[in-house]
Structure formats: structure tokens, C-alpha cells
Amino acid sequence: VDPSHHQSIALRSKIRSGKGEFQEAANDEHLLVSIFEKLGNEKKANVARESEAKYRQIGHSWELVRKQLDEATTMEDRVKARAIYSQCVDVIHNMLPLVKDSAPLRMQRIVCAIESRRQQVASDELRFILKANPNNLEAIALNAKAMRMMDATDLAKKEVRRCLTLDPEFAPCQKLHRSFKKIQALQDGISAALKDKKYDQALDMIDKASKSEDANEETLLKFKCDAYVQKRDVTKGLASCEELIQFYGTEAPSSCNAYLSVADLHMMDSDMEKANIAVKKVAEICNGHEKLREYQGRISNFENNKGRKDYYALLEVPKTASEQEIRRSYRKLARLHHPDLYQKDITPKERERKDKLFRDLNEAKEMLLDEEKRRRYDNGEDVANPQKQQQQQGHFNFGSGFPGGFPGGGMPGGFNFGGGNFQFKFG
């Protein structure tokens, strides 16, 4: 470019700013200031000065964000990393009016929106990019990633197939295709283990999967929370489900299933106050949630049936006890309180008390070793008094028990797109 040809320099400045090369564009504007001053055109010199200042400011802000994005890709603190990605979304939002139709900036904003789980922003920007160019492979890959994040698995796979039809060698879509297959195989394996009540096996698979480069944090956190709920491990379950809530954000609608799992765990621990807090949180952020009424009904059941028999106390086991622990405790207590062991000189009143205790032990064993009855009992129902329970519930049906898991979801790890001065950073 001829350093004295201001039209060429102005065009180069525009191209550079559109590519995100703001410091270079600012240097061009500085050169234009000198040219216009020599030509005696102060009006155009002032316009160039304003553009130079604008590009310097944008460039400085962008450089700071890019440095933070480099750190965020390897950051263990997910909350802090998500905050950096969210800041990236806002910074680019402020930059876009100054550099109209900058596709690279919009692409980076999409990446940051996906990583910060700002789904609406990602959707809006992808719509803008794909409307301008429906065959933009980078945008198609990002669209597949965003859809997968929102559990729209079939649509995500469809986008990947479209991408590979346009270019079978496009590396990001090849990686997504491989990741989708691995994730599906992993989910099937963990789901099968949970279905067979092999909770330790499922947790071991989750732990091993978390160390893989194809690991998807969201999916694994969902499975981990669910596994501990089904295993009835209150301490580890609360830690895992709270971790999932932090992953989504405490006010995010996507965290509602995790809040319900927290409620389940508190109910197992007989902490109805904390269970109620978790259910109320769901009512606050997901008022139309399909299970909200059920959980509210369970809270009401516990309140209305405070006088029912405590089968866990009778068998001297915690609410989190496994079937094996219940059987073991029952055998010990049955041997201790069996009628055949009563002394002959026992009083009729004492015999009646011991007979009732033995009947209660058998009733407790029957209730807690029957999966359906135990589920209903854990829901707060008075299972031994169905007529009373029916009167309390009327025609409503609240009981589907502790959750059987989350739908498959999440996204594979990130990848980088090249292009001009941009590297699209995934966490």
C-alpha cells in the first residue's frame, strides 16, 4: 500500500478492524492523521484521530480478554472460568457496534457464550452467522456443540453430518463426531450399571471417564449426582449435586433437577427443612417444572404423617441403608426378640409388648425390602394406612420416588478454530 494513498490505507484499516486486528487498524488511522494534516484537511484528520482512539481502546480491552481466555482453558475453578467467558460475551457485545459484521468477533462471542452457558446469546449469534452463510463450517460445528449442550442430541448429530457432508475432512466436525460416539457409549454403559444397581461400578466408570480427553464434565456430573442419590449416599451425594448446581449456576433453570436431587438426599437424612428449601428454590426458578408438584406433595406427606411408624428406627438402620444392611439388622433383632425366647414367667402385658415389637419388626422388614413400598414410604406416605393416605392425597398422585437420573447431555471438550488473528478457545 502506498503510504501516501489515503484511500488504500482507509480500506486496509477497515479490513483489519473487521478481522479483529485493532492495533494494526489503529496504526493505519494514525498514518491517516498525518496524511490529512499534510493535506490541510483537519476535518478528516479529526475523524481519523477518533477512529485511532477507538481502535486502541477496543484493542486493549480485547487483548486483556484474550489473555484471560488463554488462562480459562486450563483453569480448574469452573466458576471463575465461566465468569471470564461471560465477561468475554459482554466485551464483544460492546465492540460489535464499532466493527459491524465482524464474523470472527461474533464467532468468538459464540464460543464464550457456549462456555459460559449463555444459551440465548449463542443461539442469536449463530442464527446471524448462518443466515449470512448457511455453509459456514465453523458456525455449523459451533451450532452442533450448542445443541448438544441443550440436550438436543439428535439435532446436534444432524448438524455434524451436514458439516461432514460439506467437508469430510473438516477436523472440528470429525472430532465432534468421534466424541459423540464415545459419549453415547459411555452413557449407555453408566446407565446400564445404574439400572442394574451396580453403583460402585458406575462411579468407577465416571471417574475413569473424567480423565479422558473426550470427557464431558456436565454429563459426568449429572451421572455422579444421580448415582449417589440412587446409592443413598447422602454426604457424597450432596457434594456431587451441589457441584452440578455450581456448574450450571445457582439461578439457572438447568440446575432444577439437581436441586430436586438435593431435596431427595435431605429427605433421606430426615432434614425436611433443608429439603423444603431446595424444593422452594425449584419453584422460584422453574415454576413449571414437571416434578415440582410431586415434590411439594412429598413434603406435605411428611408433614401430615408425622405419627406413622418409623421403620428405619425399628430396624435400627439409617434411611440410607442398603438391602443387605436391612436384612442383616432384621436377622439380629429377630433372633433377639423372637417369641420362642420369651421366659415362661413373663407377664401378659410384657408378652403383648414383645409380640407387638416382633410384628412391627416383620412389618418394617416387609416395607423396606419391597422396592415399591419403600419408595412410597420414603416419599412420606403412611403405607400401612392406605385409606388415610388416600384421603390426604385426594385424587392427586405425587409419588414417583427418588429420581432415576438425568437425560443425557453435555458437550465434549473444546477445540480451536484458526482464522486470521483469532483462536477460538474452548474450556
Side-chain angles (χ1 to χ4, degrees):
V1 175
D2 184 347
S4 64
H5 194 268
H6 61 82
Q7 290 96 337
S8 299
I9 295 172
L11 178 60
R12 185 174 66 184
S13 174
K14 184 177 180 181
I15 293 172
R16 282 176 164 174
S17 66
K19 292 170 63 180
E21 299 169 355
F22 300 111
Q23 295 300 341
E24 291 82 354
N27 293 337
D28 283 337
E29 294 297 330
H30 184 76
L31 187 56
L32 286 172
V33 171
S34 300
I35 294 173
F36 289 130
E37 284 179 339
K38 289 178 181 178
L39 294 175
N41 192 332
E42 191 60 28
K43 183 178 180 181
K44 288 190 175 182
N46 285 333
V47 172
R49 286 191 190 95
E50 291 176 3
S51 295
E52 179 187 359
K54 175 183 71 175
Y55 291 141
R56 296 276 184 218
Q57 181 182 3
I58 294 173
H60 177 69
S61 298
W62 182 233
E63 283 303 315
L64 289 176
V65 171
R66 289 179 64 186
K67 287 179 181 177
Q68 290 180 319
L69 289 177
D70 287 337
E71 296 174 3
T73 56
T74 57
M75 194 173 287
E76 292 185 4
D77 187 337
R78 290 184 300 277
V79 175
K80 187 175 180 180
R82 194 173 299 118
I84 291 173
Y85 284 116
S86 187
Q87 181 187 10
C88 160
V89 172
D90 295 332
V91 169
I92 297 178
H93 173 73
N94 294 330
M95 293 164 62
L96 285 174
L98 306 177
V99 284
K100 294 180 180 179
D101 300 329
S102 173
L105 274 179
R106 288 187 181 275
M107 292 290 285
Q108 182 62 68
R109 189 168 189 244
I110 292 167
V111 172
C112 291
I114 290 173
E115 295 296 334
S116 60
R117 313 202 68 76
R118 293 172 66 172
Q119 299 174 356
Q120 190 59 53
V121 173
S123 179
D124 291 344
E125 291 291 4
L126 281 164
R127 193 179 301 112
F128 182 91
I129 292 288
L130 290 170
K131 183 178 180 181
N133 181 6
N135 295 332
N136 184 322
L137 295 178
E138 295 169 353
I140 293 172
L142 284 173
N143 200 31
K145 183 178 174 74
M147 288 176 175
R148 188 68 177 84
M149 180 183 70
M150 294 184 286
D151 288 336
T153 307
D154 291 340
L155 290 175
K157 290 178 178 179
K158 185 177 180 181
E159 280 293 86
V160 170
R161 287 195 296 269
R162 183 164 80 92
C163 176
L164 293 175
T165 298
L166 292 168
D167 184 355
E169 303 301 320
F170 189 60
C173 286
Q174 287 181 330
K175 184 172 183 178
L176 275 175
H177 178 66
R178 291 193 298 270
S179 295
F180 284 0
K181 290 179 69 175
K182 288 183 179 180
I183 289 171
Q184 189 60 55
L186 169 67
Q187 290 180 193
D188 291 344
I190 296 174
S191 295
L194 290 176
K195 184 178 179 181
D196 294 338
K197 300 182 181 180
K198 298 176 180 178
Y199 305 124
D200 290 332
Q201 179 182 329
L203 288 164
D204 185 56
M205 293 171 67
I206 292 168
D207 182 59
K208 289 179 180 177
S210 66
K211 299 170 185 176
S212 166
E213 71 171 282
D214 292 299
N216 174 250
E217 186 178 15
E218 178 187 1
T219 302
L220 296 180
L221 283 175
K222 286 180 179 181
F223 274 124
K224 193 174 183 180
C225 171
D226 187 32
Y228 281 123
V229 171
Q230 293 192 47
K231 191 181 179 184
R232 308 175 76 86
D233 188 326
V234 173
T235 302
K236 292 182 179 179
L238 286 174
S240 296
C241 297
E242 289 289 354
E243 187 178 5
L244 180 58
I245 289 171
Q246 291 300 319
F247 177 86
Y248 285 126
T250 55
E251 302 299 320
S254 49
S255 66
C256 286
N257 279 346
Y259 276 116
L260 292 180
S261 290
V262 167
D264 282 323
L265 291 161
H266 284 310
M267 281 188 259
M268 290 181 203
D269 205 30
S270 300
D271 193 336
M272 300 310 299
E273 182 178 353
K274 289 184 179 178
N276 198 25
I277 290 172
V279 172
K280 285 182 176 179
K281 188 66 177 180
V282 176
E284 177 187 329
I285 59 179
C286 300
N287 194 35
H289 195 285
E290 62 181 357
K291 287 193 173 184
L292 177 58
R293 194 178 178 193
E294 169 196 324
Y295 277 72
Q296 290 170 333
R298 288 169 63 185
I299 298 290
S300 178
N301 279 339
F302 278 104
E303 184 65 28
N304 293 331
N305 294 317
K306 286 182 178 179
R308 65 181 183 160
K309 293 178 184 177
D310 188 337
Y311 295 134
Y312 292 103
L314 281 166
L315 291 177
E316 299 179 5
V317 294
K319 284 189 175 183
T320 55
S322 66
E323 288 186 9
Q324 291 85 346
E325 290 171 324
I326 291 170
R327 290 182 190 280
R328 191 182 308 124
S329 185
Y330 168 75
R331 291 190 187 110
K332 182 186 77 172
L333 293 170
R335 284 194 296 268
L336 184 64
H337 299 288
H338 197 281
D340 291 347
L341 300 177
Y342 298 165
Q343 296 178 4
K344 293 181 180 180
D345 58 350
I346 195 171
T347 65
K349 187 174 181 180
E350 182 67 12
R351 177 175 293 279
E352 182 181 350
R353 188 187 69 80
K354 286 183 174 291
D355 283 346
K356 181 178 183 305
L357 174 59
F358 192 73
R359 288 195 302 271
D360 286 345
L361 287 173
N362 279 287
E363 181 181 320
K365 179 200 71 169
E366 178 189 347
M367 291 293 181
L368 298 186
L369 290 180
D370 184 300
E371 188 173 337
E372 174 62 17
K373 289 178 180 178
R374 185 179 184 181
R375 177 189 65 74
R376 291 172 54 204
Y377 182 78
D378 286 341
N379 282 352
E381 293 185 31
D382 188 350
V383 186
N385 194 345
Q387 186 175 2
K388 175 186 174 185
Q389 187 64 38
Q390 189 175 15
Q391 290 172 349
Q392 289 175 356
Q393 290 187 187
H395 62 281
F396 299 109
N397 179 19
F398 295 113
S400 65
F402 297 123
F406 298 97
M411 272 308 308
F415 47 85
N416 294 333
F417 287 122
N421 200 37
F422 287 85
Q423 289 290 317
F424 302 133
K425 306 287 186 180
F426 285 85

